Amino acid sequence: MPLTALWTVPLLGALVCAFLGSKARYGALAFSSAFLALAGGISYLQGSPSALAVLTETGPQWAYGVCYRLSADSLSLGLIGLTAFLNLICVAASWDLKVSAGYWACFLALASALTGVFLARDLFFFYAFWEATLIPMFFIIGLWGSSGRLHAAVKFFLFTFAGSVFMLLALLALVSAHHRVTGVWTWDLGSLDPKTLGAAAPYVFWGLVLGFAVKIPMVPLHTWLPDAHTEAPAAGSVMLAGVMLKMGVYGLLRVAIPLFPDLSVEMYPILGGLAALSTVYGALCAMAQTDLKRLIAYSSIAHLGFCLLGVLSRTSQGLSGGTLQLVNHGLTTGALFLMVGFLYERSHKRGLSDFGDLASRAPYLAFFFGFATLASIGLPGLNGFVGEFMSLSGAMSAPFPIFAFVGCLGVTLAAAYALPAFQVVFWSPAGPDSVSAKVSDLDFRERAILWILCGLMLWIGLAPKPWLAWFEPALRGLVR
Amino acid sequence: MTPPEVMLAVKVLFGAPVAAILFGFFVMRRVKPEWTHLPILASCAAVTAAAACLAAYTTAKHCLELPVWTWAVAGDWGVAFGLRIDGPSSAILAMVAFVGSLIHVYAAAYMKGDKGFARFFLVFHLFFLAMIGLLTANDYLQLYLFWELVGVSSYLLIGFWYHKESARKAALKAFMTNRIGDLGFLIAVLMMIYAYRSTRLQTVYEFMAAKPSIYTSIIALGLVWAAFAKSAQWPLYYWLPDAMEGPTPTSALMHAATMVTAGVFLLIRSWPIISAVDGLPQLIAWTGALTSLGAAIIAGTKKDIKRILAYSTVSHLGLMMLAVGLGELGTAAYHLIVHGFFKAALFLCAGNIAHAFHQSTANVDETGGLRREMPFTYGCFLAAALSLAGAPLFAGFFSKDAILDAAWHHGGGLRVIGMLIAFGSAFYIFRMLFLVFHGDRKEQSRGGRHPHEAGPEFVLPIFALSFGAVVLGHGSIREWVSNLMTYGMRGVPMVLIRLKPYFDLPGEPALPALNWTVSAFGTVLALLGAGAAYYLTMVDSGWDWRWRGGFAEAVFESDFGYKIIVGWGARAVSWTARFTGRVLDKNWWDGLLESSSDVLREAGNALASSAQGRVNDYLWWMLAGSAVLLGRVLR
């Protein structure tokens, strides 16, 4: 029951908000808070992570073995917590926007679908929730985005949908092969036996990986991301970067690696190589951008490359670090996207050269942006470093330590895109076409949001141990 | 010192700066920003007292290794942070705390009335805190944390006057160069975890003693690379001369106490690793010697007074590297301490001049004959300059001659280079002294400004520093540093018999006795340098302006052409980034993917005869396609 409530509460919120009209934001706030409280409460009641009893809910069997089956281990609960937290942050950050009730409904619906993805243990439901996340995000980008929103929304939808088709085919193959050999229809992640696939196993593995890799996104399947991020409203970018990209890594951790433990090791030279490439490629692309949001979007590709490198290395520190990096990236990139959103709300610009001298005009904004930038480039003592370092350490212990060296290069390059951008926006004198005069400093609400985010960045950076310990039980079985 | 007192000192060492920064940030900055420095100065006093206590504690042959908290754990992997108070850390900490505090006092006067006064002091103190953390870390990852914090604080301070383009560029250059160096540190730490499953200093030392392996070389190379960036050695020295764009107290702190010394300290800390790699000490010694000589030559050609001092720092860091490379760790640390005093004094004197001119730095074209207006600054400058040049009985004489002695005993090219450096140092500092404080040249013009001596809040800290630069050569202090270094590197009380070969350093005790031959040679060459400077600035006073312009200046301005190569490197990286981001990713790859929809549409038109746009047809086609794929998979 509590697990069903986890994904139905925000869904109920979405329905309620849709009918609230101009008062919808109060509904959104109430339901988002309730969702976070519920997620926190369940996590708390599960007790200490080492003794984490895995909550499970199973419904009746349907046709073709489809069965409503939810389960929440520490990995699921951690990501649901992140979803609920960022959802509430998004609601708070969008508080003063002049938007229709649908906006708030879409965010709650998105949170609901994401929670479903993290909870489902039946692959049919997993796929259904997976695709369900596309719909609210499609509307968030397409309806409340900036000028190029339609193109971006369609591109986002087509790319990720195309990836999902391969995933669906892989899942269908898996389920029907299982039925053919054992005579049992089941979609249960725990009881499906990939050995029944025989020689087709690599195809199914790559089908799954393709579906997840588009979502992450792994270079070279990433080109939807900069467009989608750039055109989405700020809060949409936060959810997109903060949680939706994490679905891909979660899919690897939950489905692809447990089902194909040996294949994922065999394919590490290719996948790990692409992950390492992502870190450098994303950084190089980010260096060339002139639009703040595109820059942060490309930096996401680099950061997710670290996650992927750690997770795929299948070492204890790599898995822990890569998973923690999911949370870190949500906080850091989320904060950066929010601040670009605040800038955009005030000036309707987001080009690097549209601003200048903001450190004098908006010192709070400069402080928080600088803080989040430092976290993003992996300054030790802040959260980004923990994830990157542990992921790289994992890659170092895996075969092909060269990937770790390439990743180190990505760490170095991170400063080369983030700091010049920071300097142009905040330090350089305002040019003649600058809109800096329109940028007022952050108000109390905005500052409060950023204090919370930056406080968490510092906390994770200085004392990552409890955070790592939280995820550890769920990852223990995945170590090669 | 009883154990509870030591614990109290340790707590004060970190508690006071953290509390002062938090209080300053959350309270003073809002309530009374012009008083932000008060809690911070109090913290400086407390830190200095604590550092003195710890130095006394280690002098009494105690060491302290204190676990504080476990940072991260995963599987069999874990990193625990803690404190290591031993000889090298407490000796250098005592200098950093004392010199740093005096610079804080100076900064309070220098920065008064600046719009960003509160911001300056908070970052300034963070810089100081980062260095304290770096010196007392007992774990390489922890050291790396503070190492990067030092880098970030310096970035914020160099770019403090961010309205100036030169300051922004210098800040970025400094941070990026250090980041390139940190790449080595990062790889070294990752390698330690891989090879030894630990980054704790003591554990790594023990592994080193037990069995150096192939990983040792990578770790050692990475650390040396990082140290070269932080301590401004070739090929990564080029950020330091530009870094004087920050307010002068920043330069003083950075050059004397908190930043550039970190690299030398890292090498002292990592000596057991470095000495285990064949040829690496020689590499360090030669790099240091050549950097030192090159920087000394360049320093003799610069016109900006802070830039002369900056190249002088590069030169002296090169000397310290030379000492480290020759295994003379005690000598390196001793010169580091003495250098901290005289370089801080010199920079603050330059600050007085800049302040008197109401600008951020000054040029030799604008000065000349300043000793009349600023007699006190002149006196302090002279004392520090004599110390730098190695005039007999000044502190610099003892510390530099110990290094020259090591080079002398090593023989060969290093012997010659050492002597050339002695000549060059005396030349550039006395050239600066004469050009700034003496003479009355027609080429120099003050542009209607009337400089005057600064107030007591400016001169008192400088006086204390230059006093130190004079008396630190006293026998008891040399003996103290010598004992601390020898004994500290032995790691007592963690006596490890197996470590003996690695800690029996050459040149024991850590500071050699005075070698009269070397001292005589060094002194004569320094005299020659000073004499040459006198001739070219006072007798033939227009010389400095005559040789400028043309090829010679181009050679010196570009650091013998090296700056041009660095510029090419930077341009190559940004070109690669632009190509990747705009052409490869946007036009080619994304363009290809986006055009695929056009291709499909074209194909659709071509096949229009077979498809009349009926949804029913498409669904059948989709089903057929999926079935084929499925069949292929299941076969």
Side-chain angles (χ1 to χ4, degrees):
Chain A
M1 204 53 211
L3 296 185
T4 306
L6 260 182
W7 71 271
T8 45
V9 163
L11 188 64
L12 186 69
L15 291 174
V16 170
C17 282
F19 293 105
L20 275 179
S22 60
K23 294 272 181 288
R25 61 179 186 173
Y26 296 102
L29 184 64
F31 276 97
S32 300
S33 311
F35 177 37
L36 182 60
L38 190 60
I42 291 176
S43 306
Y44 180 75
L45 289 177
Q46 295 249 43
S48 70
S50 53
L52 200 70
V54 177
L55 268 182
T56 309
E57 288 174 20
T58 314
Q61 189 101 352
W62 295 352
Y64 293 106
V66 172
C67 176
Y68 177 73
R69 200 187 309 267
L70 303 183
S71 174
D73 59 0
S74 62
L75 175 64
S76 297
L77 277 179
L79 290 174
I80 291 168
L82 178 71
T83 311
F85 174 72
L86 285 180
N87 186 54
L88 185 59
I89 291 277
C90 283
V91 169
S94 314
W95 195 246
D96 287 338
L97 289 185
K98 303 277 175 290
V99 284
S100 61
Y103 180 85
W104 310 99
C106 276
F107 272 93
L108 283 166
L110 180 64
S112 163
L114 288 166
T115 309
V117 171
F118 297 136
L119 285 177
R121 291 297 180 276
D122 184 89
L123 287 174
F124 180 83
F125 278 91
F126 177 79
Y127 181 77
F129 280 122
W130 181 279
E131 295 299 357
T133 59
L134 285 184
I135 299 161
M137 187 45 87
F138 176 76
F139 286 121
I140 289 173
I141 299 175
L143 290 179
W144 294 283
S146 47
S147 53
R149 56 182 179 263
L150 269 184
H151 178 249
V154 172
K155 192 172 177 181
F156 159 74
F157 196 92
L158 285 181
F159 261 78
T160 48
F161 194 69
S164 312
V165 168
F166 289 97
M167 186 173 109
L168 178 62
L169 282 176
L171 293 181
L172 286 173
L174 189 63
V175 170
S176 48
H178 187 86
H179 171 249
R180 200 178 51 181
V181 175
T182 63
V184 180
W185 283 109
T186 180
W187 291 72
D188 178 18
L189 190 57
S191 35
L192 276 170
D193 184 7
K195 287 196 187 65
T196 55
L197 283 167
Y203 298 99
V204 173
F205 174 73
W206 278 107
L208 290 173
V209 166
L210 205 59
F212 299 139
V214 171
K215 207 70 160 196
I216 291 170
M218 185 198 259
V219 171
L221 305 172
H222 63 280
T223 63
W224 62 270
L225 179 96
D227 284 336
H229 267 312
T230 311
E231 300 303 337
S237 300
V238 173
M239 289 310 280
L240 191 56
V243 193
M244 278 190 86
L245 305 187
K246 314 307 158 47
M247 286 164 58
V249 181
Y250 175 81
L252 287 177
L253 284 171
R254 179 66 73 208
V255 182
I257 295 177
L259 281 180
F260 301 99
D262 299 334
L263 266 174
S264 63
V265 168
E266 267 173 52
M267 298 302 173
Y268 177 69
I270 301 173
L271 291 173
L274 285 174
L277 178 70
S278 294
T279 63
V280 173
Y281 188 87
L284 281 175
C285 286
M287 275 171 80
Q289 302 307 318
T290 51
D291 181 305
L292 257 180
K293 263 187 137 178
R294 275 190 96 81
L295 193 150
I296 302 169
Y298 274 109
S299 81
S300 287
I301 297 173
H303 287 159
L304 268 292
F306 288 111
C307 288
L308 215 47
L309 198 56
V311 165
L312 291 170
S313 76
R314 304 267 305 276
T315 51
S316 56
Q317 71 265 39
L319 282 162
S320 291
T323 312
L324 185 62
Q325 182 72 350
L326 297 180
V327 177
N328 291 337
H329 176 257
L331 296 175
T332 320
T333 310
L336 286 172
F337 273 130
L338 279 184
M339 279 183 271
V340 178
F342 295 154
L343 273 176
Y344 189 74
E345 278 168 36
R346 288 161 166 78
S347 64
H348 297 282
K349 295 272 184 195
R350 37 158 213 260
L352 288 176
S353 51
D354 292 327
F355 301 100
D357 197 31
L358 280 184
S360 310
R361 288 167 206 267
Y364 275 114
L365 184 64
F367 170 75
F368 288 119
F369 203 96
F371 195 95
T373 301
L374 290 175
S376 154
I377 66 173
L379 181 78
L382 298 178
N383 60 351
F385 175 71
V386 186
E388 286 179 10
F389 182 79
M390 293 184 70
S391 299
L392 289 173
S393 171
M396 191 68 105
S397 309
F400 298 96
I402 182 77
F403 296 160
F405 291 114
V406 175
C408 288
L409 203 60
V411 174
T412 303
L413 283 174
Y417 62 76
L419 290 180
F422 175 81
Q423 288 196 355
V424 170
V425 173
F426 288 94
W427 282 5
S428 297
D433 302 330
S434 155
V435 290
S436 291
K438 291 186 196 163
V439 179
S440 51
D441 207 352
L442 303 177
D443 61 23
F444 179 76
R445 172 181 58 94
E446 293 162 336
R447 288 208 303 268
I449 294 170
L450 290 167
W451 269 123
I452 294 171
L453 287 169
C454 291
L456 282 170
M457 291 177 207
L458 188 64
W459 180 15
I460 299 181
L462 288 178
K465 195 179 153 204
W467 298 79
L468 294 166
W470 172 263
F471 285 115
E472 207 267 334
L475 304 170
R476 205 176 290 149
L478 300 178
V479 177
R480 67 161 89 201
Chain B
M1 296 290 295
T2 58
E5 285 168 354
V6 174
M7 290 310 295
L8 181 67
V10 166
K11 280 176 190 152
V12 167
L13 198 61
F14 283 89
V18 170
I21 290 171
L22 289 179
F23 185 69
F25 184 80
F26 286 105
V27 182
M28 294 311 275
R29 193 176 53 90
R30 289 155 201 248
V31 182
K32 199 114 178 111
E34 64 273 25
W35 285 5
T36 313
H37 62 295
L38 294 178
I40 286 172
L41 289 180
S43 143
C44 283
V47 166
T48 310
C53 288
L54 292 176
Y57 177 70
T58 39
T59 310
K61 297 211 181 276
H62 295 290
C63 268
L64 183 68
E65 173 123 2
L66 189 70
V68 179
W69 94 92
T70 308
W71 184 67
V73 175
D76 62 340
W77 181 95
V79 174
F81 286 175
L83 294 175
R84 185 187 169 97
I85 311 281
D86 59 4
S89 67
S90 66
I92 297 176
L93 180 66
M95 183 278 281
V96 167
F98 185 67
V99 172
S101 299
L102 287 174
I103 300 173
H104 271 81
V105 173
Y106 181 89
Y110 188 88
M111 296 303 289
K112 201 174 194 166
D114 193 285
K115 206 155 59 76
F117 184 79
R119 174 167 60 100
F120 177 82
F121 254 92
L122 292 170
V123 183
F124 206 59
H125 207 53
L126 185 68
F127 198 18
F128 189 57
L129 170 65
M131 192 64 192
I132 296 170
L134 194 153
L135 291 171
T136 51
N138 81 335
D139 183 283
Y140 272 106
L141 189 59
Q142 184 188 355
L143 214 157
Y144 181 65
L145 190 153
F146 288 110
W147 180 271
E148 288 269 308
L149 192 58
V150 164
V152 167
S153 326
S154 70
Y155 170 75
L156 294 173
L157 286 170
I158 296 167
F160 179 75
W161 283 318
Y162 52 77
H163 294 290
K164 290 198 298 181
E165 194 191 357
S166 53
R168 293 197 300 274
K169 275 194 172 158
L172 193 62
K173 195 177 192 177
F175 194 80
M176 282 316 300
T177 311
N178 275 294
R179 191 85 176 173
I180 292 169
D182 295 344
L183 182 64
F185 207 140
L186 186 60
I187 289 176
V189 174
L190 287 170
M191 215 35 143
M192 277 174 206
I193 290 178
Y194 174 61
Y196 311 128
R197 315 303 289 168
S198 172
T199 50
R200 195 167 146 252
L201 294 169
Q202 192 66 30
T203 317
V204 174
Y205 293 168
E206 284 166 26
F207 268 108
M208 285 300 145
K211 189 177 63 155
S213 60
I214 170 74
Y215 307 116
T216 312
S217 314
I218 300 175
I219 294 169
L221 269 175
L223 293 173
V224 169
W225 179 250
F228 278 3
K230 208 55 135 203
S231 283
Q233 295 299 295
W234 188 85
L236 295 175
Y237 74 94
Y238 50 84
W239 62 273
L240 187 62
D242 288 354
M244 55 106 209
E245 286 296 338
T248 304
T250 306
S251 311
L253 195 59
M254 202 156 92
H255 287 254
T258 54
M259 178 132 175
V260 294
T261 50
V264 179
F265 177 74
L266 178 70
L267 293 190
I268 293 176
R269 267 281 188 253
S270 312
W271 182 247
I273 309 177
I274 289 162
S275 59
V277 179
D278 287 336
L280 195 57
Q282 282 78 4
L283 179 78
I284 297 171
W286 274 98
T287 312
L290 291 175
T291 307
S292 179
L293 182 61
I297 296 171
I298 304 280
T301 69
K302 291 288 169 196
K303 290 164 91 171
D304 186 304
I305 58 175
K306 278 170 78 178
R307 220 167 255 276
I308 298 173
L309 294 177
Y311 275 98
S312 149
T313 305
V314 177
S315 177
H316 277 269
L317 290 165
L319 277 177
M320 293 172 213
M321 288 291 178
L322 171 62
V324 170
L326 296 176
E328 297 279 354
L329 304 186
T331 309
Y334 181 46
H335 191 58
L336 192 153
I337 291 167
V338 172
H339 173 261
F341 278 86
F342 67 66
K343 192 49 65 66
L346 291 172
F347 258 108
L348 296 186
C349 286
N352 273 0
I353 297 166
H355 190 260
F357 280 69
H358 300 292
Q359 50 197 33
S360 67
T361 180
N363 195 300
V364 292
D365 290 348
E366 307 163 325
T367 53
L370 276 180
R371 78 175 187 286
R372 288 185 296 276
E373 288 94 343
M374 308 177 77
F376 195 86
T377 306
Y378 171 67
C380 292
F381 192 96
L382 180 64
L386 285 168
S387 190
L388 182 148
L393 302 183
F394 283 71
F397 170 76
F398 296 99
S399 63
K400 201 154 94 180
D401 279 9
I403 298 176
L404 295 183
D405 179 58
W408 186 268
H409 282 294
H410 187 267
L414 288 180
R415 185 185 283 194
V416 180
I417 293 176
M419 287 302 155
L420 288 176
I421 295 168
F423 175 84
S425 305
F427 175 77
Y428 68 70
I429 200 66
F430 276 97
R431 168 180 170 270
M432 177 175 170
L433 182 92
F434 291 133
L435 284 178
V436 171
F437 290 102
H438 288 264
D440 201 12
R441 301 171 190 81
K442 63 180 188 322
E443 292 87 353
Q444 291 175 318
S445 141
R446 299 206 184 142
R449 277 168 296 214
H450 299 286
H452 51 86
E453 185 62 274
E457 69 276 29
F458 285 85
V459 293
L460 283 179
I462 305 182
F463 179 76
L465 287 168
S466 43
F467 183 73
V470 175
V471 302
L472 277 184
H474 191 271
S476 61
I477 292 178
R478 283 189 293 143
E479 199 178 329
W480 174 67
V481 176
S482 173
N483 286 340
L484 276 186
M485 295 306 293
T486 323
Y487 150 81
M489 286 309 288
R490 286 225 178 113
V492 184
M494 301 152 283
V495 188
L496 291 158
I497 306 303
R498 284 183 298 141
L499 289 186
K500 198 85 169 77
Y502 288 97
F503 288 99
D504 263 344
L505 307 170
E508 218 173 319
L511 286 184
L514 218 52
N515 179 335
W516 289 107
T517 324
V518 178
S519 300
F521 264 110
T523 309
V524 167
L525 280 162
L527 264 178
L528 280 177
Y534 183 80
Y535 181 80
L536 293 173
T537 54
M538 301 304 288
V539 181
D540 182 9
S541 68
W543 177 81
D544 219 86
W545 284 266
R546 277 206 308 279
W547 71 263
R548 290 188 182 279
F551 184 67
E553 190 174 17
V555 168
F556 290 129
E557 277 301 307
S558 63
D559 292 1
F560 305 112
Y562 186 66
K563 273 187 181 169
I564 301 172
I565 298 172
V566 173
W568 285 341
R571 270 201 295 281
V573 172
S574 69
W575 184 87
T576 313
R578 271 203 307 280
F579 174 77
T580 315
R582 298 197 186 141
V583 182
L584 178 67
D585 194 66
K586 182 87 193 101
N587 295 352
W588 293 357
W589 179 231
D590 192 39
L592 179 74
L593 292 176
E594 290 224 348
S595 67
S596 60
S597 65
D598 298 339
V599 172
L600 285 182
R601 197 178 304 125
E602 290 299 315
N605 288 340
L607 294 171
S609 54
S610 67
Q612 305 295 322
R614 286 199 301 268
V615 177
N616 217 5
D617 284 3
Y618 295 142
L619 283 178
W620 281 114
W621 279 114
M622 259 176 72
L623 201 61
S626 307
V628 170
L629 277 172
L630 201 59
R632 173 89 185 79
V633 164
L634 293 178
R635 189 166 45 88

